[in-house]
Amino acid sequence: MTTVGRARPDSASRIGSTAEALSVARELAATFATGAAERDRDRRLPYAEIDRLSESGLLALTVPARFGGLDAAPSVLAEVISILAAADPSIAQIPHSHFVYLNLVRLSAGEALQERIFTDVLAGGRVANAQSERGGKTIADISTRLTPADGDAARFVLDGEKFYCTGSLFAHTLAVLAKLDAPAVDLAPGEYVAFIPADSPGVEIVDDWDAVGQRTTGSGTVRLSGVEVMAADLVARASATAAPTAYGAYAQLLHVAIDAGIARGALTEAVEFVRTKARPWFEAGVDRAVDDPLVVQRFGELEVDVATAEAMLVAAGRTVDEAVEASAGAPSRELVAEASIAVARAKAVADRVATPVASALFEVSGTRSAAAGTRLDRFWRDARTHTLHDPVRWKYQHIGRWLLRGEDPPLHGVI
């Protein structure tokens, strides 16, 4: 199936406070949880749910105040994402790149592009990535190219193919990572992000995502053939990733939020299943599964694990808040390094918790929980798929090098 773009909602709410944002997130999460298993089973893309997310105003949380937004702190956004992930991890994953690229616009885009993107988002517009590619030697290899258009110094042409384009099927704007090989206009060679309408001529968005988990994220292929883009719609990626802006830590914080949310969602489902459907093991000598002392013990252990991941997320969020606030004035490499390390610690813990808790769900719930109709395996599949995003083993490397040798972690992170 191939599609492009989506109609914008008739109206989008304006959220005026952190408390309101969290309240709206909880209300939506409760709604999204209903039907999440069926959407996963049938691979039914959540178009209506994503429209509701736009209409709620949550997707405009980080729009700067000078453009009429709440300008929510990273820690607030992370809590919102975690709440949504506990209900439906695919829905929580979809706006990840939306918020990451809004941050790039905030940090590095010109005034006209900022006004265009932020005004659109306040009206319900959605941004999605077209960043990664298949076939390169590493994930950092980019073959998509920006070529100056004949006869117009301010116009370029985009050609290439992208994969893992999460949320692209729901997007109004695509953020396309491409390389410029030679100087053009006032642009130096390097990597640029082009912000283009998702329905631009020459754009093809293909629904070919077939992973075992996060099945409804719309993370398929984007093909670009002679797509026109103006110089004013290009943002140099290095301006955010090679400077102490906390850009990488910000993006990684949202990944941690998804993992922590998956763990909480899996544990919540396990509690409900054991309370309402599970039978006690006959040797326990009790009438209800909730009275089996070994089950009680295991749930206690799992709650400690999940609460630890959540606490690490909160701590990392506060550190990223500080780094982002400082970078708006005098950028601090030290603060950004501390934020990156705090997020790396949190990611290591969340990675160690999300998949095991989603697996332990079956251990504590018994054989009935493995029946296909329960769809409880979706949490494990989502956790397994999402935690592969970037290898957590490198987080330990960054932490160890920082601790032993005082080496700063990479500024860009993996986003």
Side-chain angles (χ1 to χ4, degrees):
M1 175 178 125
T2 302
T3 186
V4 291
R6 292 289 292 170
R8 284 164 177 76
D10 293 333
S11 62
S13 299
R14 296 287 180 95
I15 291 178
S17 68
T18 295
E20 183 183 356
L22 297 177
S23 175
V24 170
R26 293 186 187 101
E27 290 174 7
L28 284 179
T31 301
F32 294 161
T34 302
E38 289 73 22
R39 287 192 297 273
D40 175 83
R41 179 193 64 206
D42 302 332
R43 200 180 171 277
R44 188 172 72 247
L45 297 177
Y47 287 113
E49 288 77 13
I50 297 303
D51 283 345
R52 289 196 63 184
L53 199 58
S54 288
E55 292 163 0
S56 74
L58 285 179
L59 295 186
L61 279 184
T62 61
V63 171
R66 68 191 183 91
F67 290 100
L70 180 61
D71 205 4
S75 60
V76 175
L77 179 59
E79 188 172 356
V80 166
I81 294 294
S82 185
I83 290 168
L84 296 175
D88 186 330
S90 285
I91 287 178
Q93 180 70 52
I94 289 165
H96 177 276
S97 60
H98 169 91
F99 287 112
V100 170
Y101 282 107
L102 290 189
N103 192 32
L104 178 67
V105 170
R106 179 183 67 84
L107 290 169
S108 305
E111 186 70 16
L113 182 57
Q114 287 193 39
E115 184 169 2
R116 175 170 77 81
I117 296 296
F118 291 138
T119 299
D120 187 56
V121 169
L122 284 169
R126 300 185 288 264
V127 180
N129 85 93
Q131 175 172 303
S132 296
E133 299 178 3
R134 290 196 286 192
K137 185 176 180 180
T138 73
I139 194 174
D141 292 332
I142 301 297
S143 62
T144 299
R145 287 297 186 269
L146 274 169
T147 307
D150 294 335
D152 189 342
R155 189 163 55 89
F156 293 81
V157 176
L158 271 173
D159 290 283
E161 183 168 303
K162 300 291 187 176
F163 193 58
Y164 308 116
C165 301
T166 300
S168 56
L169 288 163
F170 312 94
H172 305 113
T173 298
L174 294 177
V176 182
L177 179 61
K179 278 189 175 179
L180 178 66
D181 292 324
V185 200
D186 295 326
L187 303 180
E191 292 184 349
Y192 289 83
V193 175
F195 289 85
I196 63 171
D199 58 358
S200 296
V203 173
E204 182 184 21
I205 305 176
V206 185
D207 181 17
D208 58 357
W209 178 244
D210 62 354
V212 296
Q214 293 195 304
R215 287 161 46 84
T216 61
T217 56
S219 300
T221 297
V222 172
R223 298 189 182 115
L224 307 144
S225 179
V227 180
E228 292 189 358
V229 57
M230 302 304 293
D233 296 326
L234 299 175
V235 178
R237 188 166 181 263
S239 59
T241 60
T245 61
Y247 180 71
Y250 182 107
Q252 283 291 306
L253 180 71
L254 304 187
H255 283 305
V256 177
I258 293 168
D259 290 339
I262 292 173
R264 175 56 67 188
L267 185 55
T268 300
E269 287 282 353
V271 168
E272 178 64 17
F273 194 91
V274 170
R275 283 177 174 171
T276 61
K277 295 182 177 67
R279 295 185 296 178
W281 184 242
F282 70 94
E283 291 178 279
V286 297
D287 294 329
R288 303 183 304 165
V290 295
D291 295 324
D292 183 331
L294 298 184
V295 171
V296 170
Q297 175 73 19
R298 189 68 179 115
F299 268 100
E301 294 168 350
L302 295 174
E303 171 60 23
V304 169
D305 289 343
V306 174
T308 299
E310 291 171 334
M312 293 290 284
L313 173 64
V314 171
R318 289 172 179 163
T319 308
V320 176
D321 288 352
E322 293 174 6
V324 167
E325 185 176 353
S327 69
S332 168
R333 186 169 288 269
E334 181 180 358
L335 273 179
V336 169
E338 290 175 0
S340 295
I341 292 298
V343 173
R345 292 191 199 106
K347 185 168 177 59
V349 171
D351 182 280
R352 208 164 58 203
V353 168
T355 306
V357 168
S359 178
L361 183 159
F362 299 99
E363 170 197 336
V364 293
S365 301
T367 307
R368 290 183 177 184
S369 63
T374 67
R375 305 302 296 177
L376 294 178
D377 61 311
R378 68 187 176 92
F379 289 102
W380 183 88
R381 287 185 289 101
D382 286 344
R384 181 65 284 172
T385 301
H386 184 256
T387 54
L388 294 174
H389 182 273
D390 59 303
V392 76
R393 60 185 177 273
W394 279 98
K395 304 305 176 189
Y396 291 108
Q397 282 288 313
H398 299 157
I399 295 167
R401 293 171 183 177
W402 176 78
L403 191 63
L404 290 173
R405 303 200 294 251
E407 294 181 10
D408 287 348
L411 288 173
H412 56 77
V414 177
I415 57 176

